[in-house]
């Protein structure tokens, strides 16, 4: 058996002012051939799972191309056509294949194609034809379209948020594609899209209601090839945005349809429990000041994993105003990093940080190249990280700022530890995200608090103007389901 693996992985926040252009993809990482093995084989990611399981099952896996970009706005037409064009050329030239394993997110949007993942899958299907099984593992934040499901033979979805099961799901996907290629199973997929958005603050899979809905999905999975609950990604203004369910049966499409609908019924019943819940910055700092030990504040509005720039100082400014000391946070600010590098370690500096131009004075504690490695399975399973040249600044107000040149998802404590900052020694630890930081930050936290901050990933969706979403869609409209 000979399988291809290829992919373009992007979660698009269409409210971000920044586009995913070629330069951002080069920054995020475009790997070809053996580079893919070096980058992904030892990671807990989807591609890591494909590589491992093919190895175990004696399948020859040919790594073609993998393009990744840190979540940002829509993909430019130029970047999309050039990367996907190369991808499909490689697929065409190196075939024939017994199976194809795609690495796509499910919430990609291109400037000229709102359903970018559906497009990639459809084009790949066109190259290999109807008879070659094509599998994909989607992020739980996927906005799933009928077009995507039609193009794929098997669609699995992470069922954890923070996402720590990417590798497991990829292994399962590889086994299903092999079984299909060998004619042992005949996957029939059904997609049910719900007229419903689950708020970003209610997506943790270890907490009700999502944990209970996942119990229901597992109960329904008996005798099925797979049943997935998909949370969706509310910051993409596209018609297929929202929650969905995917069921796969062996040869019985009616049954797949019934199971997907039954899970959707249960989710719809819980729709009021899936809406926003968070507290103000001042309430959060009140809590942090009362507790002993680190209180992790999840900065919802500046969620890098959701496409925010990672440069918000809303919590920092409140801490300065209140005199709250012992706070650590990352901040993407290339100009501030340059300033610190020019001043050198040990120098006193006076500068303005972030686009908010917050004046700070302090000491440059450390400088680094900003590269770090996370051996433990964290959100999305990434192993190698690069925040670009970085500096640690200890301010006179008692705050430690880990300044970086590129925004990096707050999913690993190594981002701090690698530059000599121990988060457990702080009273307040600000993490840029809602769910992605939890796997790393919850273990060190006395308490984790979801903070309602502003930004392109703010929790209150009424702050955004949608032009393309479906109507009705709960909670914007009352909506109805069946
Ligand atoms: Zn996700």
């Amino acid at each position: 058996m000979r399988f291809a693996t290829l992919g373009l992985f992007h979660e698009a926040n269409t409210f971000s002012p920044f586009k995913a252009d070629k330069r951002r993809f080069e920054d995020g990482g475009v790997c070809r051939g053996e580079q893919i093995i070096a980058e992904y084989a030892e990671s807990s990611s989807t591609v890591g799972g494909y590589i491992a399981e093919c190895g175990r099952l004696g399948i020859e896996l040919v790594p073609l191309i993998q393009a990744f970009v840190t979540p940002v706005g829509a993909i430019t037409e130029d970047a999309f056509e050039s990367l996907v064009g190369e991808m499909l050329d490689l697929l065409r030239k190196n075939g024939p294949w017994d199976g194809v394993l795609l690495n796509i997110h499910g919430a990609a949007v291109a400037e000229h194609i709102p359903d970018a993942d559906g497009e990639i899958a459809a084009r790949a299907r066109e190259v290999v034809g109807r008879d070659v099984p094509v599998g994909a593992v989607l992020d739980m934040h996927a906005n799933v379209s009928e077009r995507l499901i039609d193009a794929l033979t098997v669609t699995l979805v992470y069922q954890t948020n923070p996402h720590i099961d990417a590798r497991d799901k990829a292994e399962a996907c590889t086994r299903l594609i092999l079984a299909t290629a060998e004619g042992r199973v005949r996957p029939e997929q059904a997609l049910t899209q719900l007229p419903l958005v689950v708020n970003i603050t209610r997506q943790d899979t270890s907490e009700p209601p999502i944990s209970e809905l996942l119990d229901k999905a597992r109960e329904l999975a008996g005798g099925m090839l797979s049943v997935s609950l998909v949370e969706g990604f509310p910051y993409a203004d596209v018609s297929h945005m929202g929650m969905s369910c995917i069921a796969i049966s062996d040869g019985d499409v009616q049954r797949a349809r019934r199971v997907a609908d039954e899970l959707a019924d249960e989710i719809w019943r819980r729709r009021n429990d899936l809406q926003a819940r968070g507290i103000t910055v001042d309430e959060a700092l009140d809590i942090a000041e009362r507790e002993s030990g680190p209180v992790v504040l999840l900065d919802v509005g500046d969620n890098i994993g959701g496409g925010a720039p990672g440069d918000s100082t809303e919590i920092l400014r409140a801490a300065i105003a209140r005199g709250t000391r012992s706070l650590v946070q990352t901040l993407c600010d290339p100009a501030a990093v340059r300033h610190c590098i020019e001043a050198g370690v040990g120098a006193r500096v006076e500068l303005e940080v972030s686009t908010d131009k917050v004046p700070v004075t302090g000491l440059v504690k450390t400088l680094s190249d900003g590269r770090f490695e996370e051996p433990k399975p964290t959100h999305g399973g990434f192993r190698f990280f690069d925040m670009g040249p970085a500096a640690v600044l200890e301010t006179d107000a008692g705050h430690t700022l880990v300044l970086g040149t590129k925004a990096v998802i707050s999913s690993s404590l190594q981002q701090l530890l690698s530059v000599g900052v121990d988060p457990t020694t702080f009273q307040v630890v600000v993490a840029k995200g809602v769910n992605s930081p939890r796997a790393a930050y919850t273990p060190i936290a006395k308490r984790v608090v979801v903070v309602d901050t502003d930004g392109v990933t703010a929790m209150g969706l009424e702050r955004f103007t949608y032009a393309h979403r479906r109507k009705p869609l709960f909670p914007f409209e009352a909506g109805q389901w069946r």
Side-chain angles (χ1 to χ4, degrees), residues 91-375:
L91 189 65
R92 202 174 290 116
K93 283 178 188 149
N94 291 282
W97 307 102
D98 298 302
V100 176
L101 299 171
L102 280 180
N103 180 40
I104 50 178
H105 180 286
V109 177
E111 283 175 324
H112 59 313
I113 302 170
D115 182 13
D117 293 295
E119 180 74 17
I120 292 169
R123 291 193 197 176
R125 167 62 68 202
E126 209 178 293
V127 169
V128 298
R130 218 52 244 185
D131 298 333
V132 175
V134 179
V137 177
L138 305 179
D139 188 284
M140 209 170 175
H141 292 111
N143 292 319
V144 187
S145 68
E146 278 293 349
R147 181 155 195 248
L148 177 62
I149 295 292
D150 282 349
L152 297 171
T153 314
V154 165
T155 314
L156 301 191
V157 186
Y158 311 160
Q159 295 293 274
T160 56
N161 191 359
H163 312 317
I164 51 171
D165 61 341
R167 192 176 167 114
D168 292 348
K169 288 285 175 274
E171 290 173 1
C173 183
T174 306
R175 290 192 293 273
L176 277 173
I177 292 300
L178 177 66
T180 310
E182 292 179 341
R184 289 183 279 121
V185 296
R186 195 161 59 80
E188 291 285 359
Q189 304 196 101
L191 168 72
T192 300
Q193 289 176 309
L194 279 149
L196 171 63
V197 179
V198 50
N199 192 271
I200 197 86
T201 58
R202 305 309 302 275
Q203 296 186 348
D204 189 323
T205 51
S206 66
E207 289 175 358
I210 292 288
S211 60
E212 292 162 5
L213 293 170
L214 286 170
D215 288 342
K216 178 72 180 177
R218 270 186 291 273
E219 184 192 311
L220 289 168
M224 302 287 289
L225 296 179
S226 166
V227 175
S228 303
L229 177 157
V230 197
E231 292 180 329
F233 186 64
Y235 306 105
D237 183 13
V238 290
S239 63
H240 51 290
M241 183 270 282
M243 287 192 86
S244 59
C245 307
I246 303 170
I248 314 177
S249 92
D250 185 2
D252 185 348
V253 72
Q254 299 306 331
R255 184 169 177 200
R257 166 73 39 222
R258 271 198 313 276
V259 167
D261 284 350
E262 198 177 333
L263 181 57
D265 283 341
E266 192 66 25
I267 295 169
W268 184 248
R269 262 197 289 279
R270 303 293 301 271
R271 63 192 177 282
N272 286 309
D273 302 336
L274 293 165
Q275 302 312 313
R277 192 176 61 178
I279 60 175
T280 66
V281 173
D282 269 316
E283 287 166 339
L285 289 173
D286 284 344
I287 292 169
E289 284 166 12
R290 278 201 308 270
E291 292 283 345
S292 60
V295 172
V296 170
L297 305 188
L298 297 169
D299 187 349
V300 179
D302 196 25
N303 176 5
I304 296 167
D311 70 347
S312 165
T313 56
E314 188 173 345
I315 296 173
L316 179 70
R317 279 181 281 129
I320 293 170
R322 293 165 57 115
T324 308
R325 299 181 70 86
S326 186
L327 172 149
V328 62
Q329 77 158 79
T330 61
L331 202 57
C332 176
D333 187 339
V337 172
R338 272 197 304 278
H339 191 119
C340 292
I341 291 172
E342 279 160 23
V345 172
R348 271 193 73 73
V349 291
E350 195 178 326
L351 71 167
E352 289 176 335
V353 293
S354 141
T355 41
D356 305 331
K357 300 210 177 302
V358 180
V360 294
T361 53
L363 277 183
V364 180
K365 202 69 188 159
T366 330
L367 297 173
S368 93
D369 68 1
R371 290 173 190 275
F372 58 96
E373 186 179 345
E374 176 54 78

Side-chain angles (χ1 to χ4, degrees), residues 25-57:
F25 272 99
E26 291 302 330
D27 272 357
V30 180
C31 298
R32 297 170 176 87
E34 288 306 309
Q35 276 179 315
I36 295 170
I37 307 295
E39 180 72 22
Y40 288 97
E42 298 302 315
S43 74
S44 309
S45 66
T46 298
V47 181
Y50 288 156
I51 295 167
E53 195 64 8
C54 284
R56 250 193 303 276
L57 297 170

